[in-house]
Amino acid sequence: MSVTGLPPYDPQNIFARILRGEIPCKRIHEDEFALAFHDINPLTPIHALVIPKGAYVSAADFHEKASDAEIAGFWRAVGHVAKSLGLDAEGYRLLSNMGGNGGQEVPHFHVHLFGGRRLGRMVPPA
Ligand code: 5GP
């Protein structure tokens, strides 16, 4: 188990394969620390994913093990992507699912960026 209760990093996960160019994506932005692309199954008019270049299973794994430069570079890229998609004026939502209760499906840390309509408040009731 990793620090997060999730299995160790699987280099065959779908986002690792996108990073290696084995699977195509609709790229929005790429730099030294992060890759951003459109979600294949968008839940809002704009639904982007931002992933770090490094091999981190989850948010907990990333924030525990990544260097300060990686963490700063990643979050700067998230802000850049939101701005480049024109979302700053009307607002948007960042979300990262973590582990089982979080509903995380792809075991490579990623942040969802939702925008393009009013999103309502927080998490729907169970
Ligand atoms: P999670 O539930 O892990 O937070 O979200 C994973 C997200 O990855 C989902 O929103 C899903 O639609 C997206 N996704 C899964 N496979 C692919 C893919 O091959 N390409 C892209 N662009 N998105 C994917």
Side-chain angles (χ1 to χ4, degrees):
M1 288 287 178
S2 71
V3 291
T4 67
L6 291 165
Y9 188 80
D10 172 10
Q12 293 308 319
N13 80 74
I14 200 96
F15 291 170
R17 299 188 65 199
I18 286 175
L19 275 174
R20 290 196 296 269
E22 295 168 7
I23 293 176
C25 69
K26 286 190 188 171
R27 187 168 313 212
I28 300 165
H29 169 81
E30 182 167 12
D31 62 33
E32 181 184 352
F33 299 106
L35 173 67
F37 49 93
H38 293 281
D39 196 290
I40 202 167
N41 182 26
L43 300 175
T44 50
I46 295 173
H47 181 177
L49 297 166
V50 190
I51 69 176
K53 289 273 176 89
Y56 302 102
V57 175
S58 67
D61 195 31
F62 178 69
H63 294 112
E64 177 168 318
K65 293 183 188 161
S67 68
D68 291 355
E70 287 176 286
I71 293 170
F74 174 78
W75 286 106
R76 201 171 294 277
V78 172
H80 172 81
V81 169
K83 188 171 185 179
S84 74
L85 291 170
L87 295 174
D88 276 4
E90 295 194 339
Y92 56 88
R93 179 167 297 159
L94 302 177
L95 180 146
S96 184
N97 296 317
M98 210 317 277
N101 278 1
Q104 183 179 358
E105 290 177 1
V106 179
H108 180 114
F109 171 50
H110 52 280
V111 169
H112 296 257
L113 198 164
F114 298 108
R117 66 165 167 82
R118 292 196 80 84
L119 296 167
R121 285 193 57 78
M122 305 295 275
V123 180

